[in-house]
């Protein structure tokens, strides 16, 4: 579950309120209509219209269940959007939270390659002929989320196939009208219209999930397929006409499929126009940068390599957190030390890959995009509601099926509304659900060697304080790679609301952050001491002890002078007196 309570909010609002209100309103309308149909069953049965009664009961029950489900879905989107402190999903497997059920879009080695190679593996080269054609017409389509690319290719593919099949049908009609195929007085064109209508219904029915990439479903437009369709459009009418005249008469269909085909073409064009407009507006915001801030150096410092690793993990990387949320660790910082020649020298290495907590970033959509997104959602719900209500009104027509089989064609129009309503509502939901985040991705690789030496001070016999320490001289070669990521994910309603795959859209330089990291490392190196020092408190205490010792120390008397010294001093005084006597004459 993505919800982990914390008093500090991440500032992520519910993006589905408007859509949820419309879905709940549609659900309530369908539920009431289904309930009304169920209440009509008793009256129909009492009047002897048992078949209509059973059909009304079935349709009423269907609408009631359908409406309650839609009502629940809408209310679920309207309720509070719970966002914990562990969202969104990590880019790769997070070693800090290995029990999470979130889905990852990358592996840790892929992230390393992206930073090292200044590339973005999110953007895949188109493979099929049609996909390359679409990306050639819309070059910036490559630089948005893969689901938007799949949506664009699916819409253009389905629309192209629909137009192409209608042109093939028009070609067959032209051959019949001009007498080239000799289809006059045959039901061939009516059967071709029914076959084409059913084929296009199936085609757009597969678009209920328009974000499934069409190349995985086996759909593609190739030159061979185009040639086969053209040949089939020309030969199939001739073949059916031959069968009707010489093998078995084909039954006539009193059905005009032209209104259905025109309605289908109109809805297909409208759906494609709405989806492509939203995609094109989204493409304008794409900024596919792959820039990385880099720093390489060689340091010679007096410190143990493990102290550097501890400081990097517990201070430098921890200072980059957002709201004290733990960083995402994609590569554990497990330094290894290899000793050589006992314990006096050796080598060390370590690497880590860390992403800071992603911070939500508002998408700068244009006013036109917002209005079309609202229109798309409203239109999708209206088509779904209209199709369901139309279906509920067909009880009388469906009761006449044994007498008039052609009334089954009345199901085509409600089916069209339901199919395209589902596609349009799904498209609108995708553009409500996208959220973008900003985060820092840091990779640090450290290699080097170290040597040990012993340093002593205060070894004189007159010294009362002595310090002895083992000094480690490390030769360090660091390699910093830092980038400011713009990532995108799709939100859903439910417990796993923001634990879907998160994709990297751009990588930008983060020179300011890298400068801060290097400045913090310089401060750490400057604070290192190789010799045990004495602080001010120790010096004051030592001075007081010295003064007390001076005052309480015993002073012995001066010893007596030797006799030789006394005689010498007396002789000196006599000689001085003789020099000072006056001369008598």
């Amino acid at each position: 579950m993505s919800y982990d309570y914390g008093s500090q909010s991440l500032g992520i609002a519910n993006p589905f309120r408007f859509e949820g209100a419309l879905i709940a309103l549609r659900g309530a309308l369908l539920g009431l209509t289904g309930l009304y149909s169920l209440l009509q069953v008793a009256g129909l049965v009492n009047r002897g219209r048992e078949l209509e009664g059973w059909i009304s009961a079935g349709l009423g029950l269907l609408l009631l269940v359908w409406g309650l489900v839609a009502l629940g879905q809408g209310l679920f989107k309207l309720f509070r959007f719970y966002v914990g402190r562990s969202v969104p999903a990590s880019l790769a497997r997070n070693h800090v939270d290995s029990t999470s059920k979130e889905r990852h879009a990358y592996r840790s080695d892929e992230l390393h390659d992206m930073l090292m190679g200044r590339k973005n593996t999110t953007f895949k080269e188109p493979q099929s002929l049609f996909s390359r054609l679409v990306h050639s017409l819309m070059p910036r389509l490559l630089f948005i989320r893969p689901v938007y690319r799949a949506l664009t290719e699916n819409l253009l593919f389905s629309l192209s196939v629909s137009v192409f099949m209608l042109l093939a049908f028009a070609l067959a009609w032209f051959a019949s009208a001009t007498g080239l195929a000799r289809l006059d007085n045959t039901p061939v064109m009516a059967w071709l219209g029914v076959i084409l209508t059913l084929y296009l219904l199936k085609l757009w029915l597969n678009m209920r999930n328009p974000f499934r990439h069409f190349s995985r479903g086996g759909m593609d437009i190739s030159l061979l397929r185009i040639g086969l369709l053209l040949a089939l459009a020309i030969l199939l009418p001739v073949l059916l006409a031959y069968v009707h005249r010489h093998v078995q008469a084909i039954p006539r269909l009193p059905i005009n499929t032209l209104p259905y085909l025109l309605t289908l073409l109109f809805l297909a064009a409208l759906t494609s126009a709405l989806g492509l407009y939203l995609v094109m507006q989204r493409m304008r915001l794409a900024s596919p940068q792959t820039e990385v801030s880099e720093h390489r150096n060689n340091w010679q410092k007096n410190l143990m390599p493990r102290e550097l690793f501890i400081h990097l993990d517990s201070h430098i990387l921890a200072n980059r957190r957002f709201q004290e949320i733990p960083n995402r660790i994609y590569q554990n910082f497990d330094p290894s030390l290899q000793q050589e020649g006992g314990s006096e020298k050796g080598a060390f290495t370590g690497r880590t890959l860390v992403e800071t907590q992603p911070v939500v970033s508002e998408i700068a959509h244009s006013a036109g995009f917002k209005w079309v997104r609202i229109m798309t959602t409203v239109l999708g719900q209206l088509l779904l509601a209209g199709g369901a209500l139309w279906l509920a009104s067909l009880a009388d027509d469906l009761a006449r099926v044994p007498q008039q089989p052609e009334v089954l064609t009345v199901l085509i129009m409600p089916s069209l509304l339901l199919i395209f309503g589902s596609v349009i509502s799904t498209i609108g939901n995708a553009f409500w659900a996208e959220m973008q985040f900003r985060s820092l991705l840091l990779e640090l690789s450290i290699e080097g060697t170290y040597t040990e030496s012993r340093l002593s001070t205060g070894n004189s016999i007159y010294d009362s304080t002595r310090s002895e320490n083992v000094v480690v001289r490390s030769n360090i070669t660091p390699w910093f790679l830092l980038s400011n990521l713009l990532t995108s994910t799709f939100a859903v309603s439910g417990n796993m609301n923001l634990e879907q795959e998160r994709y990297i859209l751009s990588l930008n330089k983060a020179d300011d952050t890298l400068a801060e990291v290097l400045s913090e490392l310089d401060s750490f190196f400057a604070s290192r001491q190789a010799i045990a020092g004495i602080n001010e408190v120790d010096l004051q205490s030592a001075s007081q002890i010295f003064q007390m010792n001076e005052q309480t120390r015993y002073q012995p008397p001066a010893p007596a002078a030797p006799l030789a010294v006394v005689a010498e001093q007396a002789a000196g005084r006599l000689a001085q007196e003789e020099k000072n006597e006056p001369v008598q004459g």
Side-chain angles (χ1 to χ4, degrees):
M1 186 173 179
S2 61
Y3 182 70
D4 295 322
Y5 174 74
S7 59
Q8 292 178 308
S9 172
L10 296 180
I12 301 176
N14 185 359
F16 301 115
R17 290 190 179 275
F18 179 78
E19 183 188 22
L22 292 179
I23 295 176
L25 182 61
R26 173 174 63 87
L29 180 61
L30 295 184
L32 292 176
T33 304
L35 184 61
Y36 175 79
S37 298
L38 291 175
L39 294 176
Q40 300 298 315
V41 173
L44 292 173
V45 172
N46 291 334
R47 292 195 299 269
R49 302 165 62 182
E50 296 183 357
L51 181 58
E52 295 181 21
W54 283 109
I55 294 177
S56 296
L59 291 176
L61 182 60
L62 175 63
L63 290 179
L64 180 60
V65 174
W66 193 357
L68 291 177
V69 171
L71 179 62
Q73 292 176 346
L75 293 178
F76 206 78
K77 291 178 180 292
L78 277 173
F79 292 156
R80 181 179 176 182
F81 193 72
Y82 285 91
V83 177
R85 290 173 62 83
S86 60
V87 299
S90 301
L91 296 173
R93 179 176 174 269
N94 185 8
H95 292 274
V96 175
D97 186 13
S98 58
T99 61
S100 176
K101 297 180 181 180
E102 60 190 17
R103 293 184 290 182
H104 308 130
Y106 308 95
R107 301 187 308 273
S108 60
D109 56 342
E110 288 183 288
L111 298 177
H112 166 75
D113 294 339
M114 291 170 68
L115 289 176
M116 187 65 68
R118 273 67 169 176
K119 59 185 179 181
N120 193 343
T121 58
T122 307
F123 308 138
K124 304 293 185 181
E125 178 184 358
Q127 301 296 325
S128 64
L129 175 66
F130 184 76
S131 180
R132 288 179 177 272
L133 173 63
V134 172
H135 282 78
S136 298
L137 297 175
M138 307 169 67
R140 297 185 67 83
L141 181 63
L142 182 68
F143 306 120
I144 59 178
R145 281 184 59 99
V147 291
Y148 289 147
R149 295 171 55 187
L151 170 65
T152 305
E153 294 173 5
N154 282 333
L155 287 176
L156 290 177
F157 175 83
S158 299
L159 181 62
S160 301
V161 171
S162 300
V163 173
F164 182 78
M165 296 302 293
L166 288 173
L167 290 177
F169 180 75
L171 179 61
W173 176 85
F174 177 78
S176 174
T178 56
L180 296 177
R182 298 180 181 180
L183 300 178
D184 52 325
N185 298 324
T186 63
V188 172
M189 291 306 301
W191 280 98
L192 287 178
V194 172
I195 294 173
L196 177 59
T197 302
L198 295 177
Y199 174 79
L200 294 181
L201 282 175
K202 179 181 179 299
L203 175 67
W204 285 96
L205 184 63
N206 293 332
M207 280 285 293
R208 287 176 301 172
N209 182 14
F211 304 104
R212 177 181 55 85
H213 202 280
F214 70 89
S215 62
R216 297 178 182 176
M219 302 191 315
D220 192 13
I221 292 181
S222 62
L223 297 178
L224 177 61
R225 184 172 184 176
I226 294 175
L228 291 175
L229 288 176
L230 286 175
L232 184 63
I234 297 174
L235 297 178
L236 183 60
V238 178
L239 178 61
L240 291 177
Y242 178 82
V243 171
H244 176 72
R245 288 192 175 95
H246 299 90
V247 180
Q248 178 66 39
I250 300 176
R252 293 186 178 275
L253 293 176
I255 299 173
N256 183 14
T257 57
L258 183 60
Y260 307 132
L261 292 175
L262 293 179
T263 303
L264 188 147
L265 182 60
F266 172 75
L267 292 176
L270 180 61
T271 302
S272 301
L274 292 174
L276 293 177
Y277 178 83
L278 294 174
V279 169
M280 292 179 66
Q281 291 295 316
R282 183 63 186 85
M283 284 192 303
R284 294 182 179 180
L285 302 178
S287 179
Q289 302 293 327
T290 56
E291 299 176 347
V292 178
S293 297
E294 180 179 356
H295 178 77
R296 291 170 292 170
N297 205 338
N298 183 267
W299 299 328
Q300 293 186 1
K301 304 295 181 179
N302 293 332
L303 81 166
M304 283 287 294
R306 192 173 298 277
E307 296 178 13
L308 174 61
F309 296 142
I310 294 174
H311 184 77
L312 286 171
D313 195 14
S314 61
H315 291 80
I316 301 299
L317 299 180
N319 291 341
R320 312 274 85 79
R321 294 181 300 169
F322 173 72
Q323 292 187 357
E324 289 76 39
I325 300 177
N327 297 327
R328 293 36 178 357
I329 309 298
Y330 302 138
Q331 173 66 45
N332 272 327
F333 205 165
D334 295 327
S336 62
L337 297 176
Q338 299 177 356
Q339 297 180 348
E340 300 176 1
S343 61
E344 296 180 355
K345 61 180 180 177
F348 58 89
T349 181
R351 186 171 74 90
T352 186
L353 183 62
V354 179
E355 184 193 16
T356 61
Q357 168 64 27
V359 182
V360 66
S361 176
E362 294 294 333
I363 306 177
H365 289 309
S366 63
F369 176 93
K370 295 178 181 179
W371 277 108
V372 173
R373 182 174 61 180
I374 293 175
M375 290 172 52
T376 302
T377 304
V378 172
L379 180 61
Q381 298 305 317
L382 286 177
L383 289 177
L384 287 173
L389 294 178
W390 195 334
L391 187 64
S393 66
L394 297 179
D396 294 340
D397 295 332
L398 294 177
R400 296 194 300 269
V401 168
Q403 293 80 21
Q404 300 180 18
E406 64 272 10
V407 299
L408 285 175
T409 57
V410 299
L411 294 175
I412 296 179
M413 294 302 292
S415 300
L416 283 175
L417 298 183
L418 293 175
I419 290 173
F420 283 97
S422 176
V423 174
I424 292 176
S425 62
T426 304
I427 292 174
N429 173 263
F431 289 95
W432 287 106
E434 185 184 13
M435 288 188 176
Q436 288 187 351
F437 296 86
R438 286 282 185 182
S439 60
L440 291 173
L441 183 63
L442 170 65
E443 182 183 63
L444 173 59
S445 300
I446 292 181
E447 296 183 9
T449 59
Y450 70 93
T451 57
E452 295 182 358
S453 59
R454 193 173 300 275
L455 180 64
S456 301
T457 183
N459 289 333
S460 172
I461 60 174
Y462 299 105
D463 294 335
S464 61
T465 302
R466 180 180 178 182
S467 175
E468 182 173 336
N469 193 14
V470 176
V471 179
V472 179
R473 186 70 172 176
S474 298
N475 189 356
I476 308 169
T477 303
W479 194 339
F480 291 86
L481 295 173
L482 182 62
S483 184
N484 188 358
L485 302 183
L486 177 63
T487 56
S488 171
T489 187
F490 275 179
V492 298
S493 296
N495 294 339
M496 308 289 288
N497 51 8
L498 283 172
E499 296 191 353
Q500 317 306 312
E501 294 94 337
R502 185 161 56 98
Y503 290 93
I504 298 176
L505 299 182
S506 68
L507 298 91
N508 302 98
K509 286 189 174 183
D511 294 335
D512 295 340
T513 305
L514 181 58
E516 293 176 1
V517 170
L518 297 177
S519 176
E520 293 178 14
L521 281 175
D522 290 339
S523 300
F524 168 70
F525 292 145
S527 65
R528 300 298 302 158
Q529 291 183 350
I531 303 176
I534 301 176
N535 54 32
E536 294 295 333
V537 177
D538 294 337
L539 291 175
Q540 184 177 0
S541 300
S543 176
Q544 293 175 355
I545 294 174
F546 175 76
Q547 293 176 6
M548 183 178 62
N549 290 336
E550 286 290 329
Q551 295 175 4
T552 59
R553 183 174 295 144
Y554 171 73
Q555 300 290 339
L563 294 177
V565 175
V566 174
E568 183 179 356
Q569 292 177 352
R573 285 195 297 269
L574 291 175
Q576 184 66 29
E577 292 176 358
E578 290 177 357
K579 291 181 180 180
N580 294 334
E581 290 180 357
V583 179
Q584 298 179 1

